[in-house]
Amino acid sequence: MLKTFSITDIGVMRKVNQDYIYTSEQPVGHLPNLFLVADGMGGHNAGDYASKVTVETIVEQIAASAERDPVRAFRESIREANRLIRTLAEQAPEMEGMGTTVVAASIAGSRLSVANVGDSRLYVVNRREIRQITRDHSWVGEMVQRGGIRREEARNHPKKNIITRAVGAEEEIQADFFTVQLEEGDTVLMCTDGLTNMLEDERIRMILAQSSDLVEKTENLVRTANDNGGRDNISVILIEPLV
């Protein structure tokens, strides 16, 4: 059993919402549930089209798949989304260069399976800590991993928006996969960088700790990100597994 709530918000500064989210507490194909966050990029309508097509393709592929292993299901569906985005971009000049981040998650019992491409994130949060599970595929993310800059510097670095992997960017896509054992009291947070560029991790943890109501927690995250500038679209999925 799961409790979930999600919001996607255009933010304060943007005129178009290029984020796209999907949540299903019910089985999709052989997965017991499915959650997706995508943050599109590209001019005109290309970014929001890329995120929408990617999420819908992943859902369709998993729904039709005989695959029971979440990692293999994620890998196959993300590859198909990448192939489709590249094909569509080749067919329409106005879509050239479009792409998107994506984070996919599914929970079976206390086992959380995750896939990510790009710099949208998944965290596991409880009252003691906030732990980023996904790895940022971005210029600053890679610099942090190599010790070139501190994590605190990355949030305001002038190159923070340069991502190094995206659905649609390369012919062969490389996603990262993670498996996490959830414990009682853990909350899963999936989000685009419109949240994490506006709020430090510890501030996110504190906001989540201030309320016991899932809807209120989600709304407080989005409102605080907008109050801090809302420079990008903000998408949040919160999942409370009943472990």
Side-chain angles (χ1 to χ4, degrees):
M1 295 290 293
L2 302 169
K3 290 169 56 182
T4 69
F5 191 72
S6 59
I7 296 175
T8 184
D9 187 270
I10 196 170
V12 175
M13 305 295 289
R14 296 297 177 93
K15 296 181 179 179
V16 176
N17 190 347
Q18 294 189 319
D19 291 356
Y20 201 83
I21 62 176
Y22 173 88
T23 68
S24 176
E25 297 177 25
Q26 303 304 313
V28 178
H30 289 289
L31 301 188
N33 43 66
L34 181 61
F35 305 93
L36 297 160
V37 169
D39 181 357
M41 59 186 184
H44 306 292
N45 295 322
D48 55 318
Y49 185 65
S51 60
K52 181 176 186 290
V53 168
T54 293
V55 168
E56 290 179 347
T57 300
I58 291 171
V59 173
E60 289 168 5
Q61 290 291 311
I62 291 176
S65 176
E67 186 57 66
R68 295 179 180 275
D69 179 71
V71 169
R72 287 199 288 266
F74 290 157
R75 181 182 286 113
E76 291 170 4
S77 60
I78 290 171
R79 282 177 178 168
E80 179 58 24
N82 186 69
R83 185 199 64 76
L84 180 57
I85 291 295
R86 290 182 63 80
T87 299
L88 293 170
E90 289 170 3
Q91 293 172 348
E94 67 272 18
M95 299 293 179
E96 184 179 359
M98 72 175 173
T100 184
T101 70
V102 69
V103 179
S106 185
I107 300 173
S110 61
R111 179 182 171 127
L112 166 67
S113 299
V114 184
N116 89 288
V117 179
D119 63 352
S120 296
R121 294 178 178 177
L122 183 146
Y123 293 88
V124 173
V125 191
N126 55 45
R127 290 193 172 271
R128 302 183 307 277
E129 63 175 353
I130 177 169
R131 181 162 48 111
Q132 182 179 338
I133 304 302
T134 51
R135 185 178 298 119
D136 291 347
H137 302 142
S138 65
W139 188 90
V140 295
E142 292 176 3
M143 287 296 291
V144 169
Q145 289 172 36
R146 292 198 295 265
I149 60 174
R150 290 181 294 110
R151 187 178 176 90
E152 295 75 20
E153 296 175 290
R155 287 183 65 252
N156 297 309
H157 197 282
K159 293 185 178 181
K160 71 175 183 295
N161 292 324
I162 299 175
I163 63 174
T164 54
R165 292 190 213 171
V167 177
E170 302 286 345
E171 188 171 343
E172 294 296 327
I173 190 165
Q174 184 180 356
D176 284 344
F177 303 95
F178 309 88
T179 302
V180 180
Q181 196 69 24
L182 297 171
E183 299 178 357
E184 187 175 353
D186 284 345
T187 297
V188 176
L189 163 65
M190 302 169 69
C191 62
T192 55
D193 65 352
L195 180 75
T196 53
N197 283 339
M198 295 292 99
L199 299 176
E200 294 180 355
D201 287 4
E202 182 58 20
R203 179 66 175 137
I204 291 172
R205 188 195 67 78
M206 290 175 62
I207 290 170
L208 294 179
Q210 286 169 358
S211 172
S212 59
D213 182 77
L214 198 60
V215 174
E216 187 175 348
K217 290 178 182 181
T218 313
E219 291 175 342
N220 286 345
L221 286 174
V222 173
R223 182 171 57 252
T224 307
N226 276 326
D227 288 346
N228 284 3
R231 292 194 297 269
D232 201 351
N233 311 140
I234 307 157
S235 293
V236 174
I237 298 174
L238 282 184
I239 310 165
E240 290 184 350
L242 304 178
V243 177

